[in-house]
Amino acid sequence: PATVDLALAQRRVLRAPRWGIVDFLISLLGFVLLSIPIVLLAEAVGLPLGATVLLGTIVPWVALGGWPLITTWFQGNGPRIDLGLRLTWRDLGWGLLGGIAALMAGGTIAVGLQALFPDLNSAAAEVGEELQAGSPLGVLALFALCVGIGAPIVEELAFRGLGYNALRKRGLSTGWVIVITTVAFSLFHLEPTRIPILLASGAILGILRWRTRGLGAPIVAHAVNNLPGAAFLLLG
């Protein structure tokens, strides 16, 4: 990340990062291991659907987004330097352009996919429809924030942050790193019919990470890509 060069230019003494691919896998596996018991426990105690959805969404983020922060802090120089977690005006501009490109690419692919899958829908949209049927507006608003803002931050920390940098640290070329993280990102969502859309958006996010050498632009682009869907969730 560019933040490493900036830190070295400021004559800061940096530690050799001891985190790597294993930590990326811990982040993904931890998300799965937290997701299942949280939902089962919420249903067992009879929590309302809204509470179950919010807990099942937010608690697993402790692993998916939290572990990249924790492991880089204790085994490296912190997420800002090691992962390029910063936001500049340049990052904002590239992020807006990338988000629009992701929306256009995803929309174009979705039109073609709907010819094969007329009921094509995202998992978040399906959950949103269930929440609209019987949950308070506040719950729906919180879920929309999770989709539009929370998910982009957490997922980028894991995929274009920890995963991308761990693979580059092992010497893989940028092209292969973008391919691997894009495929992992697409499969992670467990939405087979939407994989082409996720591949397109994931590739754009990976290119942004390479082009800007940081996480700011991918996070902004991911949010731009998700916010229209979050707005539709909120507005019904």
Side-chain angles (χ1 to χ4, degrees), residues 29-107:
L29 183 60
F31 177 87
V32 175
L33 293 179
L34 285 175
S35 297
I36 298 173
I38 285 295
V39 173
L40 292 178
L41 180 62
E43 292 179 348
V45 300
L47 289 180
L49 175 62
T52 301
V53 168
L54 292 177
L55 286 174
T57 300
I58 295 172
V59 172
W61 285 353
V62 173
L64 189 64
W67 188 251
L69 300 176
I70 294 170
T71 191
T72 53
W73 183 264
F74 287 101
Q75 298 192 85
N77 306 283
R80 183 181 183 278
I81 293 176
D82 286 3
L83 303 182
L85 184 59
R86 66 168 188 169
L87 181 63
T88 66
W89 286 109
R90 177 173 175 269
D91 295 329
L92 182 61
W94 276 107
L96 291 172
L97 288 174
I100 293 170
L103 281 171
M104 293 175 63

Side-chain angles (χ1 to χ4, degrees), residues 206-227:
I207 291 170
L208 281 175
R209 164 61 185 84
W210 161 73
R211 183 67 179 79
T212 62
R213 299 177 62 202
L215 275 182
I219 289 174
V220 171
H222 200 151
V224 170
N225 184 67
N226 282 22
L227 280 171

Side-chain angles (χ1 to χ4, degrees), residues 94-122:
W94 276 107
L96 291 172
L97 288 174
I100 293 170
L103 281 171
M104 293 175 63
T108 302
I109 295 171
V111 170
L113 286 176
Q114 282 199 305
L116 299 173
F117 309 102
D119 58 346
L120 180 70
N121 208 351
S122 69

Side-chain angles (χ1 to χ4, degrees), residues 8 14 22 31 37-38 47 53 55 63 76 80 115 136 141 155 158 160 162 171-172 177 181 189 195 197 211:
L8 292 173
L14 302 184
V22 171
F31 177 87
I38 285 295
L47 289 180
V53 168
L55 286 174
R80 183 181 183 278
E155 291 178 6
R160 259 63 60 175
L162 191 61
L172 269 71
V177 170
T181 52
H189 286 77
I195 284 179
I197 298 173
R211 183 67 179 79

Side-chain angles (χ1 to χ4, degrees), residues 142-153 219-220 222-231 233:
L142 286 175
F143 183 64
L145 283 174
C146 288
V147 171
I149 304 295
I153 294 173
I219 289 174
V220 171
H222 200 151
V224 170
N225 184 67
N226 282 22
L227 280 171
L233 286 175

